[in-house]
């Protein structure tokens, strides 16, 4: 259930350590949204794909805000929705290594989990902090290898998975120095899909 009001240090004790909330004036934005009749922490129907190192599906700040694939049954070892990923309940791994190309989008290094927490850490739970959009759902798309490196092909496949599964927002907290036509094409397709909705 969505709680009304705004998170603060009494509802989420580590918010004082979330310096970026103050720098980006997120609390003022929450207040503006709430004052104007909108839900401060975003709409529960919005799915944000985090294309990164994965997301820890057991993290206490994220477990309640993880997207669940409606076409997949957890733990049965079957690709229920026939999308090429077995048990992609909360997302998938698109890493090129065939052993990693699966429905297991658990985090290798913690970076993706950190990013997902910035996006959508649960608010009002008397622990940790609060995500910028604490009501949205996070789709975990692991595209980074164990070393943290992403290939352009894996990033593009992650974008396509996110779009195909209804993500309205795609977060990609990585960069590089080379132009990638395949990533550009995937992003262009995502933009085109969003215009059709």
């Amino acid at each position: 259930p969505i709680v009304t009001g705004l998170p603060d240090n009494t509802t989420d004790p580590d918010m004082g350590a979330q310096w970026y909330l103050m720098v980006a004036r997120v609390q003022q934005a929450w207040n503006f949204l709430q004052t104007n009749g909108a839900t401060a922490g975003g709409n529960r129907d919005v799915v944000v794909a985090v294309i990164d190192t994965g997301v820890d599906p057991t993290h206490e700040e994220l477990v309640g805000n993880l997207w669940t694939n409606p076409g997949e049954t957890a733990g049965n070892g079957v690709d229920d929705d026939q999308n090429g990923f077995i048990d992609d309940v909360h997302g998938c791994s698109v890493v090129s290594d065939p052993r990693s190309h699966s429905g297991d989008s658990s985090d290798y290094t913690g970076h993706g989990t950190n990013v997902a927490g910035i996006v959508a850490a649960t608010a009002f739970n008397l622990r940790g902090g609060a995500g910028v959009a604490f009501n949205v759902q996070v789709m975990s798309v692991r595209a980074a290898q164990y070393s943290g490196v992403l290939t352009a092909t894996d990033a593009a496949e992650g974008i396509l998975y996110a779009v195909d599964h209804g993500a309205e927002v795609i977060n990609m907290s990585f960069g590089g120095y080379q132009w990638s036509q395949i990533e550009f094409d995937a992003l262009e397709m995502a933009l085109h899909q969003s215009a059709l909705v």
Side-chain angles (χ1 to χ4, degrees):
I2 295 175
V3 180
T4 58
L6 299 177
D8 59 27
N9 288 331
T10 63
T11 63
D12 299 275
D14 291 340
M15 276 186 62
Q18 292 180 280
W19 56 269
Y20 51 86
L21 295 177
M22 184 174 55
V23 171
R25 301 182 67 198
V26 170
Q27 290 164 306
Q28 289 92 329
W30 288 339
N31 187 54
F32 175 83
L33 290 169
Q34 185 168 293
T35 301
N36 289 283
T39 306
N43 186 317
R44 187 67 183 166
D45 295 333
V46 173
V47 177
V48 177
V50 174
I51 300 175
D52 210 291
T53 61
V55 173
D56 178 357
T58 65
H59 195 288
E60 65 183 4
E61 287 281 53
L62 296 170
V63 71
N65 286 344
L66 292 176
W67 166 79
T68 300
N69 182 350
E72 200 69 37
T73 301
N76 68 357
V78 175
D79 180 8
D80 299 294
D81 58 4
Q82 299 179 356
N83 66 355
F85 299 93
I86 295 171
D87 291 338
D88 57 322
V89 177
H90 299 300
C92 71
S93 170
V94 294
V95 177
S96 296
D97 179 349
R99 294 166 300 177
S100 299
H101 202 258
S102 71
D104 179 11
S105 61
S106 300
D107 199 348
Y108 283 144
T109 65
H111 187 269
T113 300
N114 185 48
V115 170
I118 291 168
V119 172
T122 303
F124 307 106
N125 62 354
L126 302 177
R127 60 174 60 111
V132 172
F134 52 84
N135 286 328
V136 303
Q137 300 175 67
V138 171
M139 176 190 294
S140 173
V141 181
R142 183 172 64 208
Q145 300 167 11
Y146 188 77
S147 65
V149 173
L150 290 92
T151 67
T153 303
D154 292 347
E157 187 174 357
I159 294 165
L160 297 178
Y161 178 92
V163 170
D164 289 345
H165 291 81
E168 294 180 60
V169 178
I170 299 174
N171 182 92
M172 303 186 307
S173 295
F174 54 85
Y177 299 102
Q178 300 295 320
W179 168 258
S180 169
Q181 186 65 49
I182 192 168
E183 286 180 74
F184 179 83
D185 291 344
L187 287 167
E188 195 168 61
M189 195 194 94
L191 184 60
H192 176 71
Q193 283 295 103
S194 68
L196 296 176
V197 177

